[in-house]
Amino acid sequence: ETGVTQSPTHLIKTRGQQVTLRCSSQSGHNTVSWYQQALGQGPQFIFQYYREEENGRGNFPPRFSGLQFPNYSSELNVNALELDDSALYLCATSGRTNTGELFFGEGSRLTVL
Amino acid sequence: KNEVEQSPQNLTAQEGEFITINCSYSVGISALHWLQQHPGGGIVSLFMLSSGKKKHGRLIATINIQEKHSSLHITASHPRDSAVYICAVPMDSNYQLIWGAGTKLIIKP
């Protein structure tokens, strides 16, 4: 039990639609990172939020956006879905940037048809 | 050349065997994570290392910062240890993780 909950666990969308994925974590985990893991590949860093501000971004287009809320929950939004967006989306939280143990959610598996 | 390289890519062993998974990296700040991913996707953080050695139950992780190399060992392996083991290195102060490709471990009873 990592204390990190992601929802939904599975969802199916069609091309062009928009999706919101959610991540909630333990109190005090003020850093959250989102990763995309395509089937058979390692996770790719999307972005990180620290104290409600974006604190780093990987090589993903602007249609991938995020939010972090004062209660430490977070959202990943993807607009104009493409087939290649089909993947497992993972959030990872920690108490401080740059150090400390990471806590992962079970992931949200998105299928785009 | 990948920035984080793991070996072997696949490993099948008998229950009870001593397992070693290696990770070499060419980038990143001086710390490394070992993570475990089971089928279905959930990832569990096993260790974060910045020097020396850490032990948790049957798992031991070592790191040599100068040589940028780390190893994960499993003693008295068990079928429930079957999973993908991944090493990941923080790229910079933003803590973007660079991930290895993972080692798929299968322990046969």
Side-chain angles (χ1 to χ4, degrees):
Chain A
E1 181 61 45
T2 64
V4 178
T5 304
Q6 289 189 243
S7 62
T9 55
H10 296 82
L11 71 165
I12 299 173
K13 293 283 189 177
T14 56
R15 278 185 302 174
Q17 285 189 310
Q18 178 266 344
V19 69
T20 297
L21 307 178
R22 295 179 175 83
C23 174
S24 64
S25 65
Q26 302 173 29
S27 176
H29 283 199
N30 53 18
T31 301
V32 62
S33 300
W34 284 90
Y35 294 87
Q36 180 196 65
Q37 186 177 25
L39 197 62
Q41 298 182 22
Q44 299 293 315
F45 175 73
I46 303 174
F47 45 57
Q48 181 187 83
Y49 277 79
Y50 173 64
R51 293 186 176 178
E52 304 172 49
E53 298 281 337
E54 187 177 291
N55 190 39
R57 190 177 182 91
N59 189 26
F60 280 80
R63 59 189 185 84
F64 285 77
S65 63
L67 285 172
Q68 187 183 29
F69 301 100
N71 67 353
Y72 304 109
S73 65
S74 173
E75 286 182 357
L76 164 65
N77 298 288
V78 187
N79 295 321
L81 284 168
E82 301 176 359
L83 297 180
D84 285 349
D85 296 333
S86 296
L88 180 70
Y89 289 85
L90 296 157
C91 74
T93 70
S94 62
R96 292 177 290 169
T97 55
N98 220 24
T99 185
E101 186 179 3
L102 292 174
F103 299 87
F104 284 84
E106 291 290 316
S108 293
R109 187 166 297 281
L110 171 66
T111 301
V112 182
L113 302 177
Chain B
K1 182 175 168 63
N2 292 331
E3 295 167 318
V4 180
E5 289 194 339
Q6 286 187 236
S7 62
Q9 290 185 332
N10 296 281
L11 179 57
T12 300
Q14 290 297 129
E15 183 174 357
E17 287 189 35
F18 181 79
I19 302 300
T20 295
I21 300 170
N22 295 301
C23 178
S24 296
Y25 56 99
S26 59
V27 294
I29 63 175
S30 52
L32 181 144
H33 288 266
W34 280 104
L35 307 125
Q36 179 192 58
Q37 187 171 30
H38 281 281
I43 292 181
V44 175
S45 175
L46 299 175
F47 298 102
M48 191 199 73
L49 289 167
S50 55
S51 65
K53 180 168 88 171
K54 286 189 176 180
K55 184 176 188 293
H56 181 68
R58 296 180 293 104
L59 300 178
I60 302 167
T62 63
I63 190 168
N64 184 318
I65 295 294
Q66 287 73 32
E67 295 185 3
K68 292 187 183 283
H69 181 269
S70 177
S71 294
L72 176 69
H73 306 284
I74 304 174
T75 62
S77 59
H78 190 276
R80 64 174 175 266
D81 297 327
S82 298
V84 176
Y85 292 83
I86 309 169
C87 65
V89 178
M91 181 64 180
D92 54 25
S93 60
N94 287 333
Y95 215 62
Q96 174 182 346
L97 286 178
I98 306 299
W99 300 69
T103 295
K104 185 175 182 180
L105 174 66
I106 297 173
I107 304 296
K108 293 185 175 180

